[in-house]
Amino acid sequence: MRFKSVLRFCSPPARPSCQTSVSYELERSLQGALLDSDSQHHAVKHYSITHSQQGASTMVLALFVIAILVTAVVALLFGHKLGYQRGYYSMQNETQQAVINSKESLQELKDLRVSHKIAINEVATSKQELEISLASLKELRENQQAIMVENKQVAQLNELYAEIVSDKGGMPLQILGAKIEPLPENAFEYGFDVGMLASDGKAKRLNPTLTLLDDDDFVEVPLDPVSYTIEGITRIRGRFTMPAGFKPLQVKLNLKAAGQEVEQLYDWKLGAKVDNMPLSLLDLPEVDESPIEP
């Protein structure tokens, strides 16, 4: 219908222009159709590409989600395994420590039992020792009492003998026993038992002098005390240090009391070595006051 209207209103001289317009219109229509076809083709292609991209994005997202899920599952499994191992090892260590503590407790209990038995035995031994000590103390007291009685009896007898001797003119000054023994550190211990009883029965002052002699010289030993009281028997005891380089050959003891004088020489053999000598003077006991055997 469109084409008829165009042919009707066109004048004859202008026919070529109308044909050109028609051709132009047809060309444009064809181009529009072609453009529409191309647009549709591009649209379809774009839709296909978009659809493909959306499918790829969905696939990537799905793969990402699956990767996250797999990673989470692996992490959970690894964490569970790690926690289980740690818990297992921790429980095993605690069990071993508990076993060790139990063994130590059992050993301590055994030690306590042994200590208890030892303490019981020690208590029993202490009781026995106490009983023995009490019995010994009782016996010692009885012996001491007997010795005191005996000493009183001996003193009474000595007084009787002293009275008898005094009535008969007394006992002259005399040396009853003598000794000199070596000690550590070039020291020596001397001892002399001297007896005298005056006719009047009274005590007298005794002045002793001890001298060491060699071939050409002599050394007087300082005595402590320097004088004694004698009434019956007096024991002279003490210690001295030998001068360096001096080797005595004899020992001279001089005694003076109540107008009487006694002098006695001894060979230095009294200073012979003795067995079991202590290493120092500090290890020595007190001077022996026992009577000297002749």
Side-chain angles (χ1 to χ4, degrees):
M1 295 297 291
R2 185 177 180 182
F3 293 110
K4 289 180 177 181
S5 175
V6 171
L7 290 177
R8 183 178 296 175
F9 289 99
C10 288
S11 60
R15 181 179 287 182
S17 297
C18 291
Q19 291 179 354
T20 302
S21 298
V22 172
S23 298
Y24 177 74
E25 290 295 332
L26 288 174
E27 186 179 356
R28 287 189 62 183
S29 298
L30 290 174
Q31 288 180 354
L34 291 174
L35 289 174
D36 292 338
S37 177
D38 290 336
S39 298
Q40 291 177 358
H41 177 72
H42 286 296
V44 171
K45 187 176 181 181
H46 177 70
Y47 175 77
S48 298
I49 293 172
T50 303
H51 183 72
S52 299
Q53 290 179 349
Q54 290 179 353
S57 300
T58 303
M59 184 63 68
V60 171
L61 180 61
L63 291 175
F64 180 72
V65 172
I66 292 171
I68 291 175
L69 292 175
V70 171
T71 304
V73 171
V74 172
L76 288 175
L77 292 175
F78 182 75
H80 176 73
K81 183 177 180 181
L82 182 61
Y84 174 77
Q85 289 179 351
R86 288 185 177 179
Y88 174 75
Y89 288 129
S90 178
M91 184 176 295
Q92 188 176 10
N93 292 331
E94 291 179 357
T95 303
Q96 292 178 354
Q97 187 64 35
V99 172
I100 294 173
N101 293 335
S102 177
K103 291 181 180 179
E104 291 179 353
S105 299
L106 290 175
Q107 186 63 37
E108 290 178 357
L109 182 60
K110 291 180 181 180
D111 294 339
L112 288 175
R113 289 178 179 176
V114 173
S115 300
H116 180 65
K117 291 182 180 179
I118 294 174
I120 292 176
N121 293 332
E122 289 179 352
V123 170
T125 303
S126 299
K127 289 182 179 180
Q128 293 178 356
E129 291 178 353
L130 179 60
E131 292 177 356
I132 294 173
S133 299
L134 292 176
S136 300
L137 181 60
K138 181 179 179 181
E139 183 179 0
L140 181 61
R141 288 177 178 175
E142 293 176 354
N143 293 335
Q144 185 179 6
Q145 186 67 26
I147 291 174
M148 290 177 63
V149 173
E150 185 177 357
N151 287 338
K152 289 181 180 180
Q153 293 174 353
V154 172
Q156 186 179 12
L157 183 60
N158 289 337
E159 289 178 0
L160 177 60
Y161 287 157
E163 290 180 359
I164 294 173
V165 172
S166 297
D167 292 339
K168 292 184 178 181
M171 181 179 64
L173 181 63
Q174 56 185 307
I175 300 172
L176 303 178
K179 71 173 183 178
I180 294 181
E181 295 180 350
L183 299 176
E185 302 176 10
N186 199 28
F188 293 86
E189 180 175 306
Y190 60 85
F192 302 98
D193 290 342
V194 180
M196 177 184 170
L197 187 61
S199 58
D200 57 2
K202 295 181 179 180
K204 304 298 180 182
R205 182 176 296 277
L206 173 65
N207 295 313
T209 302
L210 183 62
T211 307
L212 305 177
L213 306 173
D214 62 4
D215 290 335
D216 302 322
D217 203 355
F218 67 93
V219 174
E220 184 174 339
V221 177
L223 302 180
D224 185 22
V226 296
S227 63
Y228 296 82
T229 298
I230 184 168
E231 184 182 2
I233 297 176
T234 297
R235 294 179 175 85
I236 302 173
R237 300 288 189 271
R239 294 169 180 170
F240 68 92
T241 301
M242 184 69 68
F246 187 78
K247 294 181 180 180
L249 299 176
Q250 290 181 322
V251 179
K252 182 175 69 173
L253 177 62
N254 183 271
L255 301 173
K256 294 180 180 180
Q260 301 182 40
E261 183 175 356
V262 174
E263 185 174 282
Q264 181 67 47
L265 286 174
Y266 300 95
D267 292 335
W268 183 245
K269 64 181 181 180
L270 294 177
K273 297 293 183 181
V274 296
D275 297 331
N276 300 324
M277 182 184 298
L279 298 178
S280 174
L281 291 174
L282 299 177
D283 299 329
L284 294 175
E286 297 295 331
V287 177
D288 187 9
E289 295 288 345
S290 301
I292 299 173
E293 297 180 2

